[in-house]
Amino acid sequence: MQTNITNMVGALCAIAMVASAHAAVREEPVAYMDGEATMKGFVVYDDATQAKRPGIVIVPEWWGITPHIHNEARKFAEQGYTAFIADMYGDGKTADNPKDAGALSASVMKNAKVMEQRFNAARDELARQASVNPQRIGAVGYCFGGAVVLNMARAGADLAAVAGFHASLGLNTPAPAPGTVKVKILILNGADDPFVKREEYDALKKDFDAAKADYRIIQYPGAVHAFTNPEATELGKKFNLPLRYDAKADQESKAEAAKLFAATLKK
């Protein structure tokens, strides 16, 4: 009898090990629509569980969807979220130089309605994913993407929390009325980022204070723009821009974002 039980336990363990070996973070391309425009994003999740889980929209830097953004999505998937990489430019467009990147990002930011529609198309697509609890969705953005998620918070987007990493503060939405900002907001920026001006911080704080928004700003000493991107230092040298990876600021800011999303999406 004991031998049979031992054999059964061994068989179950073997099955579990095989199942575990096949469980992995999956990344799948997703074509979706913003009006008549075809968008090409990615859904990223851990298939070790079939349970619905919180979702996070990821809005890329002005370069578009890069290896850095794919890596960020995988990290969120490993933390128990379904991540959805938003295509903000349409047809999966990317840029490999600042001139083109600036033109692409400006094409979105010059019209707040375009920005909102592009973001909401991605959010809605994320909410439709089988692995997602549509009642628990947040968003993160990097650089240009940080400005997008902050603007969406100001616009009253249906989100639980947003985090902006080295977020640009070019805010193109109207100042929110008191009580209209429902989302918790975290801004994680480099204290020495020359792209973000003191007056932009002042304007943001004034608007969020007047709206009674729940927000927090953390600035990391010595960090400049794009500090979470391991490719940033090389890009900065190539294009003579103040971009630099900062491992300490990267680690600390990711820990803060993890706490925010655990408290708001997994409660």
PDB file of all heavy atoms in Angstrom, residues 247-262:
ATOM      1  N   ALA A 247      20.943  52.358 -12.753  1.00  0.00           N
ATOM      2  CA  ALA A 247      20.482  51.095 -12.165  1.00  0.00           C
ATOM      3  C   ALA A 247      19.797  51.309 -10.818  1.00  0.00           C
ATOM      4  O   ALA A 247      18.775  50.671 -10.516  1.00  0.00           O
ATOM      5  CB  ALA A 247      21.661  50.141 -12.016  1.00  0.00           C
ATOM      6  N   LYS A 248      20.330  52.204  -9.998  1.00  0.00           N
ATOM      7  CA  LYS A 248      19.758  52.433  -8.661  1.00  0.00           C
ATOM      8  C   LYS A 248      18.370  53.058  -8.773  1.00  0.00           C
ATOM      9  O   LYS A 248      17.412  52.609  -8.139  1.00  0.00           O
ATOM     10  CB  LYS A 248      20.680  53.334  -7.843  1.00  0.00           C
ATOM     11  CG  LYS A 248      20.243  53.541  -6.395  1.00  0.00           C
ATOM     12  CD  LYS A 248      21.336  54.282  -5.628  1.00  0.00           C
ATOM     13  CE  LYS A 248      20.996  54.408  -4.137  1.00  0.00           C
ATOM     14  NZ  LYS A 248      19.888  55.332  -3.897  1.00  0.00           N
ATOM     15  N   ALA A 249      18.251  54.092  -9.595  1.00  0.00           N
ATOM     16  CA  ALA A 249      16.954  54.748  -9.768  1.00  0.00           C
ATOM     17  C   ALA A 249      15.957  53.798 -10.429  1.00  0.00           C
ATOM     18  O   ALA A 249      14.759  53.805 -10.098  1.00  0.00           O
ATOM     19  CB  ALA A 249      17.113  56.017 -10.598  1.00  0.00           C
ATOM     20  N   ASP A 250      16.445  52.986 -11.352  1.00  0.00           N
ATOM     21  CA  ASP A 250      15.590  51.991 -12.009  1.00  0.00           C
ATOM     22  C   ASP A 250      15.003  51.050 -10.963  1.00  0.00           C
ATOM     23  O   ASP A 250      13.784  50.840 -10.901  1.00  0.00           O
ATOM     24  CB  ASP A 250      16.418  51.222 -13.038  1.00  0.00           C
ATOM     25  CG  ASP A 250      15.621  50.176 -13.791  1.00  0.00           C
ATOM     26  OD1 ASP A 250      14.388  50.323 -13.909  1.00  0.00           O
ATOM     27  OD2 ASP A 250      16.225  49.207 -14.273  1.00  0.00           O
ATOM     28  N   GLN A 251      15.862  50.479 -10.139  1.00  0.00           N
ATOM     29  CA  GLN A 251      15.414  49.512  -9.136  1.00  0.00           C
ATOM     30  C   GLN A 251      14.464  50.148  -8.126  1.00  0.00           C
ATOM     31  O   GLN A 251      13.404  49.576  -7.804  1.00  0.00           O
ATOM     32  CB  GLN A 251      16.629  48.925  -8.413  1.00  0.00           C
ATOM     33  CG  GLN A 251      16.272  47.881  -7.367  1.00  0.00           C
ATOM     34  CD  GLN A 251      17.508  47.312  -6.675  1.00  0.00           C
ATOM     35  OE1 GLN A 251      18.613  47.838  -6.821  1.00  0.00           O
ATOM     36  NE2 GLN A 251      17.341  46.246  -5.933  1.00  0.00           N
ATOM     37  N   GLU A 252      14.807  51.325  -7.640  1.00  0.00           N
ATOM     38  CA  GLU A 252      13.982  51.966  -6.614  1.00  0.00           C
ATOM     39  C   GLU A 252      12.626  52.400  -7.173  1.00  0.00           C
ATOM     40  O   GLU A 252      11.592  52.253  -6.500  1.00  0.00           O
ATOM     41  CB  GLU A 252      14.734  53.155  -6.017  1.00  0.00           C
ATOM     42  CG  GLU A 252      15.948  52.748  -5.192  1.00  0.00           C
ATOM     43  CD  GLU A 252      16.696  53.946  -4.613  1.00  0.00           C
ATOM     44  OE1 GLU A 252      16.239  55.093  -4.835  1.00  0.00           O
ATOM     45  OE2 GLU A 252      17.724  53.726  -3.955  1.00  0.00           O
ATOM     46  N   SER A 253      12.616  52.921  -8.384  1.00  0.00           N
ATOM     47  CA  SER A 253      11.344  53.367  -8.967  1.00  0.00           C
ATOM     48  C   SER A 253      10.437  52.175  -9.272  1.00  0.00           C
ATOM     49  O   SER A 253       9.211  52.254  -9.067  1.00  0.00           O
ATOM     50  CB  SER A 253      11.596  54.185 -10.243  1.00  0.00           C
ATOM     51  OG  SER A 253      12.227  53.417 -11.246  1.00  0.00           O
ATOM     52  N   LYS A 254      11.019  51.064  -9.731  1.00  0.00           N
ATOM     53  CA  LYS A 254      10.209  49.881 -10.007  1.00  0.00           C
ATOM     54  C   LYS A 254       9.593  49.336  -8.722  1.00  0.00           C
ATOM     55  O   LYS A 254       8.447  48.838  -8.726  1.00  0.00           O
ATOM     56  CB  LYS A 254      11.063  48.794 -10.663  1.00  0.00           C
ATOM     57  CG  LYS A 254      11.658  49.179 -11.998  1.00  0.00           C
ATOM     58  CD  LYS A 254      10.620  49.355 -13.074  1.00  0.00           C
ATOM     59  CE  LYS A 254      11.249  49.805 -14.379  1.00  0.00           C
ATOM     60  NZ  LYS A 254      12.334  48.950 -14.878  1.00  0.00           N
ATOM     61  N   ALA A 255      10.331  49.425  -7.617  1.00  0.00           N
ATOM     62  CA  ALA A 255       9.790  48.970  -6.333  1.00  0.00           C
ATOM     63  C   ALA A 255       8.604  49.828  -5.906  1.00  0.00           C
ATOM     64  O   ALA A 255       7.602  49.322  -5.379  1.00  0.00           O
ATOM     65  CB  ALA A 255      10.882  48.992  -5.268  1.00  0.00           C
ATOM     66  N   GLU A 256       8.696  51.135  -6.143  1.00  0.00           N
ATOM     67  CA  GLU A 256       7.583  52.031  -5.794  1.00  0.00           C
ATOM     68  C   GLU A 256       6.349  51.731  -6.647  1.00  0.00           C
ATOM     69  O   GLU A 256       5.210  51.709  -6.150  1.00  0.00           O
ATOM     70  CB  GLU A 256       8.002  53.492  -5.973  1.00  0.00           C
ATOM     71  CG  GLU A 256       9.060  53.970  -4.996  1.00  0.00           C
ATOM     72  CD  GLU A 256       8.537  54.087  -3.559  1.00  0.00           C
ATOM     73  OE1 GLU A 256       7.305  54.082  -3.365  1.00  0.00           O
ATOM     74  OE2 GLU A 256       9.369  54.194  -2.646  1.00  0.00           O
ATOM     75  N   ALA A 257       6.563  51.518  -7.931  1.00  0.00           N
ATOM     76  CA  ALA A 257       5.436  51.201  -8.809  1.00  0.00           C
ATOM     77  C   ALA A 257       4.803  49.870  -8.427  1.00  0.00           C
ATOM     78  O   ALA A 257       3.571  49.726  -8.443  1.00  0.00           O
ATOM     79  CB  ALA A 257       5.898  51.177 -10.262  1.00  0.00           C
ATOM     80  N   ALA A 258       5.638  48.897  -8.065  1.00  0.00           N
ATOM     81  CA  ALA A 258       5.115  47.591  -7.658  1.00  0.00           C
ATOM     82  C   ALA A 258       4.211  47.722  -6.435  1.00  0.00           C
ATOM     83  O   ALA A 258       3.161  47.074  -6.353  1.00  0.00           O
ATOM     84  CB  ALA A 258       6.272  46.632  -7.381  1.00  0.00           C
ATOM     85  N   LYS A 259       4.616  48.560  -5.485  1.00  0.00           N
ATOM     86  CA  LYS A 259       3.788  48.778  -4.290  1.00  0.00           C
ATOM     87  C   LYS A 259       2.462  49.443  -4.651  1.00  0.00           C
ATOM     88  O   LYS A 259       1.407  49.070  -4.122  1.00  0.00           O
ATOM     89  CB  LYS A 259       4.548  49.634  -3.272  1.00  0.00           C
ATOM     90  CG  LYS A 259       5.680  48.905  -2.572  1.00  0.00           C
ATOM     91  CD  LYS A 259       6.240  49.684  -1.406  1.00  0.00           C
ATOM     92  CE  LYS A 259       6.983  50.918  -1.853  1.00  0.00           C
ATOM     93  NZ  LYS A 259       7.660  51.627  -0.726  1.00  0.00           N
ATOM     94  N   LEU A 260       2.525  50.429  -5.532  1.00  0.00           N
ATOM     95  CA  LEU A 260       1.302  51.121  -5.947  1.00  0.00           C
ATOM     96  C   LEU A 260       0.312  50.151  -6.576  1.00  0.00           C
ATOM     97  O   LEU A 260      -0.874  50.112  -6.199  1.00  0.00           O
ATOM     98  CB  LEU A 260       1.645  52.225  -6.951  1.00  0.00           C
ATOM     99  CG  LEU A 260       0.437  52.875  -7.643  1.00  0.00           C
ATOM    100  CD1 LEU A 260      -0.320  53.758  -6.676  1.00  0.00           C
ATOM    101  CD2 LEU A 260       0.885  53.676  -8.870  1.00  0.00           C
ATOM    102  N   PHE A 261       0.769  49.349  -7.523  1.00  0.00           N
ATOM    103  CA  PHE A 261      -0.153  48.468  -8.237  1.00  0.00           C
ATOM    104  C   PHE A 261      -0.620  47.308  -7.351  1.00  0.00           C
ATOM    105  O   PHE A 261      -1.779  46.883  -7.481  1.00  0.00           O
ATOM    106  CB  PHE A 261       0.490  47.955  -9.521  1.00  0.00           C
ATOM    107  CG  PHE A 261       0.643  49.024 -10.561  1.00  0.00           C
ATOM    108  CD1 PHE A 261       1.881  49.357 -11.100  1.00  0.00           C
ATOM    109  CD2 PHE A 261      -0.462  49.733 -11.004  1.00  0.00           C
ATOM    110  CE1 PHE A 261       2.011  50.342 -12.049  1.00  0.00           C
ATOM    111  CE2 PHE A 261      -0.342  50.736 -11.954  1.00  0.00           C
ATOM    112  CZ  PHE A 261       0.897  51.034 -12.476  1.00  0.00           C
ATOM    113  N   ALA A 262       0.230  46.834  -6.461  1.00  0.00           N
ATOM    114  CA  ALA A 262      -0.215  45.789  -5.540  1.00  0.00           C
ATOM    115  C   ALA A 262      -1.336  46.309  -4.650  1.00  0.00           C
ATOM    116  O   ALA A 262      -2.314  45.600  -4.370  1.00  0.00           O
ATOM    117  CB  ALA A 262       0.962  45.298  -4.683  1.00  0.00           C
TER     118      ALA A 262
END
